[in-house]
Amino acid sequence: FTTDRIRNFCIIAHIDHGKSTLADRLLEMTGAIAKSDRNKQVLDKLQVERDRGITVKAQTASLFYNHQGQQYLLNLIDTPGHVDFNYEVSRSISACQGVLLIVDANQGVQAQTVANFYLAFEAELTVIPVINKIDLKNADPERVGSQIEKLFDIPREECIKISAKLGTNVEKVLEAVVDRIPPPVARTDDPFKALVFDSSFNHYRGVIANIAVFGGQVRKGDRIVSAHLGKTYEVNELGLLRPEEHQTQGLSAGQVGYIIAGMKDVKEAQIGDTLYHREQPVEALPGFKPARAMVFAGMYPMDQSEYQGLRSAIERLTLNDSSVSVQRDSSIALGAGWRLGFLGLLHMEVFNQRLEQEYNASVIVTAPTVPYKAILSSAKLIKEHGSEEITIVNPVQFPDRSVVSEYLEPVVLGTIITPDTYTGKIISLCLSRRAVQKNMVYIDDQRVMMKYLFPLNEIVVDFYDLLKSLSSGYASFDYENAGYQSADLIKLDILLNGLPVEELTTIAHKDRAYTTGKAMCERLQDAIPRQMFEIAVQAAIGSKVIARETIKAYRKNVLAKCYGGDISRKMKLLKKQAEGKKKMRLIGRVEVPKDAFINVLKRD
Ligand code: GDP
Ligand code: MG
């Protein structure tokens, strides 16, 4: 293929607007997958993606398309829509010249539509707006067209109106890809230069790097260098993704494909890294900002005997997801474990679910926390840490006020798009989360877009769910990092029968300490089953108790109900009780269900 017959594009959209469905149609129409397969979201390969109906990992597929007697090679990258996986979108974009921006004809422009549009716009890519789901009874493509015009300054006539589900007008999308998106710049005579925009790890074959070739060509057997580590590798295999791997002899400028070169760890094929020929070094591509972890939580094996197993599961899973940061950690009650950093709460839940599903691991996850900072005032501590400013990812390590001149909390700029009937409720919710309104505009006669500056910890756990429920599912939300602000923070301890439980320690804003402490005690009261003795659940700041709940004693005798000699029923009940126990963790003498650690921060 000469470069002018190549188009590299990705599909971006708010979650559920139909990216994966459109990708399926495009794959079918170009013969990459059979129509009769009843293939659904074929690019969503992971089980969690299938369970949740969301795309977590961007996927790549090369399509062959005949247009006016010419064959074209179209490289399609399907991307995830959820805010936590935005970094997947950014890196897909850097391998493309254009995007299909999908908008649901019924829901219209949503918060992630805006965020994704700006990612593409700032990268100077051609944006093809596609209004999907025109088959829906409540579809209003005209309204959506004018929202697109108003917000993105794209003439409404440029919108392609389709039904990805039924295949209506999907042909026009392929035509637009060829006609409107420019081919990649032909630099076939340049030295070989490729961007690693994704990488995954396969137990048998090592690292598989997805690359976009920007210059020259690479062939099997070539000796290549990865700019980041400066290590040399021999290319064992390369090819196109259609979407299954399809070996070829070489890849050249403008193409997108995969490469296997004996790398043993995804760290050797870092996302954003540049590959070049050993004999022809080139200047490295600018690469990406590393994904920044925004939510930290402890992860522990259910039982210490499972430590090694869990360690290798975490290692293997992070081989495929370099955005997770891992640090060893230990706690008195939960033993040896790790402190992991994630891009957001959904990212953390997905990681956890993958550990359980793909590696059969059983884990306890502690309440999530955001990365706070403290400016130290104690000369001794400054010397110890080597700097004045420290980042706190574990509440247990929160330094006392007496050695700190200022605490800082991370803030984000949030975008909410909602039908205007819900604005009142949403504004109250935002105010209750210490948010500051920055902007509010109508995007059409019924829909409002609001911008708020939020302390990250106020939205991390449950904000999204609440926003959804108080707007009957209509409001959408997205956010971007906005640095740090000064905050009056305190450490809140939780005590069970007078013993502080490290794993439940949290950092709270001073104004919110009482409500948070009370809510945590109430949650624990509900979550911890009655036991043979009374349990006091307390929240305390230092030695001052600020909230308390009591769990009454209860002798749980499951066999009491079972008179007579019905052995099988007895066994069943005992088994059930044993299973219940398995999900419990002993803290002192108190049995705590494992999900209590993470649920304790959710508010009603
Ligand atoms: P993604 O999150 O953007 O990848 O969205 P999906 O492709 O997973 O689609 C989300 C939901 O919308 C699925 O239930 C699809 O079946 C449905 N959907 C996608 N396209 C259409 C369409 O053109 N018409 C209708 N009625 N439903 C669609
Ligand atoms: Mg999808």
Side-chain angles (χ1 to χ4, degrees), residues 297-315:
M299 225 175 240
Y300 296 88
M302 256 324 267
D303 189 285
Q304 279 298 310
S305 67
E306 294 159 17
Y307 178 84
Q308 291 301 341
L310 184 57
R311 187 176 79 179
S312 83
I314 290 177
E315 273 171 8

Side-chain angles (χ1 to χ4, degrees), residues 269-547:
Q270 287 206 354
I271 293 168
D273 205 349
T274 306
L275 303 179
Y276 57 83
H277 275 148
R278 194 178 55 178
E279 295 77 25
Q280 286 184 294
V282 298
E283 198 184 321
L285 295 155
F288 304 98
K289 270 189 277 177
R292 190 152 69 102
M294 296 304 271
V295 175
F296 291 81
M299 225 175 240
Y300 296 88
M302 256 324 267
D303 189 285
Q304 279 298 310
S305 67
E306 294 159 17
Y307 178 84
Q308 291 301 341
L310 184 57
R311 187 176 79 179
S312 83
I314 290 177
E315 273 171 8
R316 289 216 232 155
L317 201 49
T318 47
L319 275 180
N320 264 316
D321 188 348
S322 48
S323 60
V324 179
S325 71
V326 184
Q327 243 176 285
R328 271 203 289 171
D329 202 358
S330 67
S331 100
I332 298 163
L334 302 176
W338 300 267
R339 185 138 281 259
L340 277 74
F342 301 96
L343 302 166
L345 204 68
L346 178 68
H347 184 211
M348 168 169 137
E349 284 173 6
V350 164
F351 186 87
N352 195 4
Q353 193 177 339
R354 289 186 68 181
L355 272 181
E356 299 198 333
Q357 281 177 344
E358 293 168 35
Y359 297 92
N360 207 10
S362 178
V363 293
I364 299 175
V365 182
T366 65
T369 181
V370 301
Y372 291 105
K373 285 182 177 175
I375 310 293
L376 299 171
S377 58
S378 138
K380 184 166 159 272
L381 281 181
I382 294 171
K383 203 167 158 213
E384 226 175 271
H385 289 282
S387 85
E388 206 183 43
E389 185 185 282
I390 57 164
T391 303
I392 307 136
V393 296
N394 189 343
V396 173
Q397 287 151 8
F398 190 72
D400 192 71
R401 178 92 253 179
S402 61
V403 294
V404 165
S405 61
E406 191 183 19
Y407 294 113
L408 301 165
E409 63 178 344
V411 286
V412 294
L413 185 64
T415 302
I416 299 170
I417 294 186
T418 177
D420 60 1
T421 35
Y422 303 108
T423 33
K425 281 188 189 165
I426 291 174
I427 290 173
S428 314
L429 172 67
C430 292
L431 285 178
S432 78
R433 297 302 170 100
R434 300 190 286 126
V436 180
Q437 196 179 76
K438 292 288 169 191
N439 188 11
M440 178 162 160
V441 289
Y442 271 85
I443 61 168
D444 65 25
D445 57 349
Q446 285 167 16
R447 274 167 226 250
V448 177
M449 178 164 82
M450 296 185 271
K451 299 241 180 207
Y452 275 93
L453 198 64
F454 288 96
L456 179 62
N457 90 311
E458 296 285 341
I459 58 164
V460 128
V461 181
D462 55 357
F463 179 81
Y464 185 68
D465 292 342
L466 281 172
L467 180 75
K468 279 282 171 201
S469 74
L470 65 76
S471 66
S472 312
Y474 286 113
S476 63
F477 179 62
D478 194 20
Y479 63 82
E480 57 189 286
N481 296 339
Y484 276 80
Q485 74 182 14
S486 182
D488 209 349
L489 304 172
I490 51 103
K491 184 167 91 168
L492 192 63
D493 291 314
I494 298 291
L495 297 85
L496 291 181
N497 277 350
L499 280 177
V501 185
E502 257 187 15
E503 298 68 29
L504 293 171
T505 299
T506 53
I507 297 167
H509 191 268
K510 206 167 167 207
D511 296 347
R512 300 295 297 274
Y514 173 73
T515 31
T516 308
K518 186 158 170 47
M520 286 179 78
C521 290
E522 283 167 2
R523 286 243 161 213
L524 286 169
Q525 188 192 24
D526 289 344
I528 299 174
R530 290 186 172 197
Q531 293 169 32
M532 307 242 272
F533 43 87
E534 187 176 284
I535 306 164
V537 184
Q538 295 167 308
I541 301 172
S543 56
K544 193 172 137 222
V545 173
I546 58 165

Side-chain angles (χ1 to χ4, degrees), residues 13-22 40-41 44 53-55 78-79 132-136 162-166:
H14 190 77
I15 193 161
D16 272 351
H17 282 197
K19 289 178 299 291
S20 302
T21 309
L22 176 61
K40 270 182 136 181
Q41 281 113 347
D44 290 345
I54 56 167
T55 309
D78 184 25
T79 63
N132 184 31
K133 308 197 191 182
I134 55 167
D135 60 290
L136 286 177
I162 68 161
S163 165
K165 192 173 171 181
L166 306 179

